[in-house]
Amino acid sequence: MPKDIGLSDRVLVGDCIDIMAELPSGSVDMVFADPPYNLQLAGALHRPDNSKVDAVDDDWDKFEDFATYDTFTRAWLKAARRVLKPDGTIWVIGSYHNVFRMGTALQDLHFWLLNDIVWRKTNPMPNFRGKRFTNAHETLIWAARDRRRRSYTFNYEALKELNEGLQMRSDWTLPLCTGAERLKNGSGKKAHPTQKPEALLFRCIMAASNPGDVILDPFFGSGTTGAVAKRLGRRFIGIERDADYAELARKRIAAVRPLPAEDVAPKPARRSEPRIPFGILIETGLLTPGATLADPSGRIQARVKADGTLSTTGPEGDLRGSIHQVGAAVQGAPSCNGWTFWHIDFDGKRLPIDHLRQQMRARMQ
Amino acid sequence: MPKDIGLSDRVLVGDCIDIMAELPSGSVDMVFADPPYNLQLAGALHRPDNSKVDAVDDDWDKFEDFATYDTFTRAWLKAARRVLKPDGTIWVIGSYHNVFRMGTALQDLHFWLLNDIVWRKTNPMPNFRGKRFTNAHETLIWAARDRRRRSYTFNYEALKELNEGLQMRSDWTLPLCTGAERLKNGSGKKAHPTQKPEALLFRCIMAASNPGDVILDPFFGSGTTGAVAKRLGRRFIGIERDADYAELARKRIAAVRPLPAEDVAPKPARRSEPRIPFGILIETGLLTPGATLADPSGRIQARVKADGTLSTTGPEGDLRGSIHQVGAAVQGAPSCNGWTFWHIDFDGKRLPIDHLRQQMRARMQ
DNA sequence: GCTTTTAATGAATCGTTCG
DNA sequence: TCGAACGATTCATTAAAAG
């Protein structure tokens, strides 16, 4: 146990660069940092139902330009590196707005990148204007303080167990922090704009620290890092600029009870079969655009398009849409399972395209 | 069709920075780039059974330090930006070794990031030493040439169809390029170390280009970009430093047959349909002055005037204006699509007036 | 009490055309 | 070039309200 025990399990209020400068060097086992993302939002965004999106437009996320953001990033990373033990590791989380600048800064400051981890959100906010891909993930970078030191903590076996006996991969599928876990203020609104789910911190802390280790979070916010650290028997140092958030975090953590590790194992992953979009059969070449599909009798035919739609001529004119939509339309039925309705001739046999879906599932195992 | 047709559908051998300098500026619709990853492997890597992993250790992947890699990256990105049309977009792909430096360079060169995309590999190479998470993904960055230009190509509807009616997300699950698709040399070994799956290029090209567009790949390698571009009715310019790889790509692409044009046209977006002024419905008798329109619930009503305006009594007095203006006002919303907001009773059903617009469009064919 | 509908919301760099 | 007008656009969850 280090002697600086007095500093741990506390939330310090102030600028993280200043406060880290006061901490003894080489005293921290792991850093988790969720800094401002520098979102650069232009105007208000409305949903199709005309409601306004509650965006992150706080002052703490505003930077004049990339150079200002880089200066800030390098300053706190440098301070964090001094405080880390030689065998320590750091986690940072960000989106495409800032994560490339953080990754570059980490490499320039001689951190050694171990992995980039993708947090796949099961329930992200959609892209309301249809102008981009749904931004459905955030990126974490996990890095060692030094290239040379190879004795950093990585609880390989524990993570493998968490993943049902398979090596934990670099993509983690987890829901957003919503519902009862999301801290609310008096009026029922979210108390902090960017509260992270505890499951995310659980996995980072479980992977890269041991019970009794000291974990530093320089952008403590609502205190998720502290809550999970306490629950998993780790110590923590939180730094937060906003006194109200710091107080919120203190109260939250005070209510947390440390638990034996076996009681906090996450829910096992769902075993359901993965959904296979029809389009992937085309993208991977199992089906060719222009191919002809037919109903079980062979009387109704339709043509496969490159975008995964079918086209055919129905009683009321041209039809184009998904395998399910066109299948329903040609039958005059309210709905249709296109996977079992549409068939393709293969080796002289007429097989449902569900057969191709099974092949695809096997490939994607 | 542009006049520089002579340059497209060719594989040029040489340094991509030199060759791009010879191309006319603003002549390319989309760039796809899979540059060297700067892997920095310390020594040979062995599997648990002591077999050696066939890692990427070619000379083209060796850079002395980050500064050298950055200089190279900025030089080819700058050249690519000059060659791009003002509304063009660029895709780059990389791993954590180099993608942060590419993202930073893109931002510094005033590209405007649109998405980062995660390619989740269904069958990644495991981590043999158990010292890190299985590196199971690579990252693509999709960026517009300019922040201002918002008319870049994004075939939203086509991508949505490829994903069975749901918005395409920023995480794509696709298998590695293996089996018959993987090009082999005479002795049965892989002909190129980093051949990308055609399914990956299919999605990029389908999303961000139209048939006939020119797609430039400055690190052509085995020519996956060219093969998929040709198949989807796009033109391409490939640049490859290694004459043997260029020849491999030429032969590969020569065997590709373009799909029929009708099969590769993306599903058209609604905004590309001809504009119908509301007043035409009245002029042509589809709607009669004096008719009553209502909101979806039927609670709010308005009266159609002969000049194509609506009039109603709102909470703050009489309102009169376009279907959009009045719709916004009665909802207290900043804007409103009057076509979908206002309904009319027809054969006992309440239908949006967009239904009448569809009839009008059909008549005007 | 139970089921069905409706409403709310999440780190968002989210438009195009015409006069 | 700029302002005004047109009009295109959402998924998974949770929770409250309605039946």
Side-chain angles (χ1 to χ4, degrees), chain A residues 160-217:
Chain A
K160 198 170 168 180
E161 286 303 322
L162 278 177
N163 196 32
E164 294 193 322
L166 298 178
Q167 285 190 342
M168 186 68 81
R169 296 166 42 114
S170 57
D171 55 306
W172 301 352
T173 304
L174 296 168
L176 293 170
C177 180
T178 59
E181 187 187 327
R182 188 89 196 210
L183 299 176
K184 307 288 198 309
N185 61 20
S187 54
K189 294 287 178 185
K190 58 188 175 189
H192 190 278
T194 69
Q195 185 182 341
K196 295 291 176 288
E198 296 199 359
L200 188 71
L201 272 293
F202 184 103
R203 203 171 284 185
C204 296
I205 291 175
M206 198 72 168
S209 73
N210 292 306
D213 279 2
V214 175
I215 297 170
L216 167 68
D217 185 336

Side-chain angles (χ1 to χ4, degrees), chain B residues 272-283:
Chain B
S272 64
E273 294 184 273
R275 183 175 288 231
I276 304 286
F278 178 66
I280 282 192
L281 302 185
I282 297 158
E283 291 174 323

Side-chain angles (χ1 to χ4, degrees), chain B residues 210-355:
Chain B
N210 291 304
D213 279 2
V214 175
I215 296 170
L216 167 67
D217 185 336
F219 305 96
F220 206 54
S222 60
T224 308
T225 302
V228 178
K230 182 176 176 186
R231 189 151 59 94
L232 291 178
R234 275 71 167 173
R235 292 175 292 161
F236 68 88
I237 303 172
I239 306 176
E240 172 53 42
R241 207 168 64 167
D242 185 302
D244 293 336
Y245 288 151
E247 190 51 31
L248 178 76
R250 280 193 201 101
K251 283 185 183 154
R252 172 187 186 182
I253 295 166
V256 172
R257 291 184 50 191
L259 291 163
E262 54 175 307
D263 292 325
V264 296
K267 185 179 176 185
R270 196 133 76 103
R271 38 172 82 89
S272 64
E273 294 184 273
R275 183 175 288 231
I276 304 286
F278 178 66
I280 282 192
L281 302 185
I282 297 158
E283 291 174 323
T284 55
L286 276 175
L287 258 181
T288 312
T292 300
L293 302 186
D295 78 316
S297 73
R299 283 190 287 261
I300 304 171
Q301 299 195 330
R303 192 176 170 90
V304 176
K305 299 292 182 180
D307 61 2
T309 58
L310 294 189
S311 81
T312 188
T313 306
E316 297 182 7
D318 289 341
L319 291 167
R320 181 155 181 181
S322 73
I323 52 171
H324 313 296
Q325 291 167 334
V326 176
V330 296
Q331 293 179 95
S335 68
C336 167
N337 182 347
W339 292 107
T340 52
F341 178 72
W342 294 109
H343 290 61
I344 188 160
D345 288 336
F346 193 69
D347 275 348
K349 286 181 198 166
R350 181 170 293 142
L351 292 171
I353 56 174
D354 197 46
H355 186 74

Side-chain angles (χ1 to χ4, degrees), chain A residues 121-160:
Chain A
K121 303 176 183 181
T122 56
N123 48 349
M125 190 186 294
N127 185 288
F128 296 118
R129 304 303 288 265
K131 298 302 293 180
R132 304 180 175 196
F133 298 94
T134 307
N135 192 6
H137 74 276
E138 293 187 28
T139 302
L140 299 106
I141 305 174
W142 181 43
R145 186 191 182 282
D146 284 299
R147 175 175 188 172
R148 292 292 179 80
R149 293 294 189 134
R150 309 221 164 175
S151 48
Y152 58 85
T153 296
F154 179 54
N155 294 314
Y156 174 75
E157 289 297 339
L159 272 283
K160 198 170 168 180

